[in-house]
Amino acid sequence: MAAPARYAVIGNPVGHSRSPRIHALFAEQTGEPIAYTRLEAPEAGFAAVAEAFFAGGGSGLNVTVPFKEAACAWADTLSKRARAAAAVNTLRAEADGRRHGDNTDGAGLLRDLRDNLGVAVAGRRLLVIGAGGAARGILPTLLDEAPGEVLIANRTAERAERLAAERPGVRACGLEALAGQGGFDVLLNTTAAGLQGQMPALPGELLASGAAAYDLVYADADTPFMAWARRHGAALVADGLGMLVEQAAESFAVWRGVHPRTAPVIEALRGG
């Protein structure tokens, strides 16, 4: 009997990642023979760790904070959505030895917002907090949904402006310039600050009536961003667990050619 194909999630930090359990549940559901683990790489050591994994027979990697842009530069070939995002969260070993980069973040976020949470993007005012690899990954898919407006806000305004400049019609500002911008229908926190129990100071008037606040990170309790949104009356507050499962299902399909059912996995991870 052949050994199971080897996959892993690479990041820093990565000890909190639920990806091994998610992919174990996908494998059980689909009958696909895989083994999945975590790889923590030094902040300047992504390429060396990824190279060693694939050279040792690894079949694929999920890429998380802070390596999505580094993975995009490292991959030999890129999917259309990875090129659009300029960020990679999924790497696959090809038969010819090359490494193919894809990005499933946008598809995962949209499925969770639209299908699981009933949040529409078309025609709405969107605020994206953060301008790193996670923001890059979701922007192309969000823009395909024709939102009414997209504003990117980042602690360093210049980084937000560089990202916005790549997307016609997208505006950018520093976090300190958010006061006076009015209310947004959908607020997306793409920063990882919540993993350290932190969040930037945000004015409460950013939440329009009926607003949805979504944190791309996930935790056992409310993140600081989610707690802020609840205090200021958001109609819907969610973490990124649903997105994590949905993008993982997309990655699983990239690797194995099978798209698992996500609802039972989300329920299992929520303790249902």
Side-chain angles (χ1 to χ4, degrees):
M1 183 176 179
R6 290 173 47 231
Y7 300 91
V9 56
I10 182 170
N12 185 332
V14 79
H16 70 287
S17 175
R18 298 191 188 181
S19 292
R21 186 176 180 208
I22 291 169
H23 285 280
L25 291 169
F26 288 162
E28 181 182 334
Q29 180 193 124
T30 62
E32 291 290 314
I34 74 165
Y36 193 107
T37 188
R38 300 178 182 90
L39 289 176
E40 182 155 327
E43 289 205 14
F46 167 80
V49 174
E51 186 65 47
F53 176 79
F54 282 110
S59 295
L61 285 173
N62 284 135
V63 183
T64 189
V65 174
F67 297 128
K68 295 181 182 186
E69 291 167 87
C72 186
W74 183 80
D76 298 307
T77 61
L78 296 172
S79 68
K80 180 179 177 181
R81 55 192 178 183
R83 285 195 303 272
V88 159
N89 80 331
T90 303
L91 289 162
R92 180 183 67 203
E94 304 287 59
D96 62 5
R98 292 186 298 172
R99 288 72 185 261
H100 180 68
D102 203 343
N103 195 305
T104 67
D105 280 335
L109 173 64
L110 186 61
R111 283 208 179 103
D112 196 35
L113 285 173
R114 181 189 61 204
D115 301 341
N116 300 335
L117 301 173
V119 175
V121 171
R124 314 291 292 282
R125 291 194 84 208
L126 270 60
L127 173 63
V128 177
I129 302 167
R136 283 187 172 277
I138 64 173
L139 268 174
T141 302
L142 292 174
L143 292 171
D144 284 346
E145 292 296 297
E149 180 184 353
V150 177
L151 175 64
I152 304 170
N154 192 59
R155 181 177 56 83
T156 306
E158 291 78 10
R159 190 171 192 189
E161 289 162 359
R162 286 197 301 271
L163 181 54
E166 302 168 11
R167 316 285 176 192
V170 175
R171 296 193 300 118
C173 70
L175 293 175
E176 75 287 346
L178 281 172
Q181 295 285 349
F184 291 84
D185 303 304
V186 183
L187 293 82
L188 301 159
N189 179 32
T190 74
T191 74
L195 296 176
Q196 286 79 44
Q198 301 169 358
M199 74 164 281
L202 299 174
E205 69 260 24
L206 289 174
L207 291 155
S209 176
Y214 191 101
D215 200 329
L216 270 66
V217 304
Y218 54 92
D220 292 333
D222 275 2
T223 65
F225 173 77
M226 294 168 67
W228 168 85
R230 289 193 202 280
R231 285 197 308 272
H232 291 90
L236 183 144
V237 177
D239 68 7
L241 184 63
M243 173 184 170
L244 177 72
V245 174
E246 296 291 351
Q247 64 81 23
E250 281 282 306
S251 294
F252 195 90
V254 168
W255 294 329
R256 310 299 299 176
V258 178
H259 199 289
R261 291 178 294 113
T262 55
V265 176
I266 294 171
E267 183 180 4
L269 293 178
R270 294 286 186 202

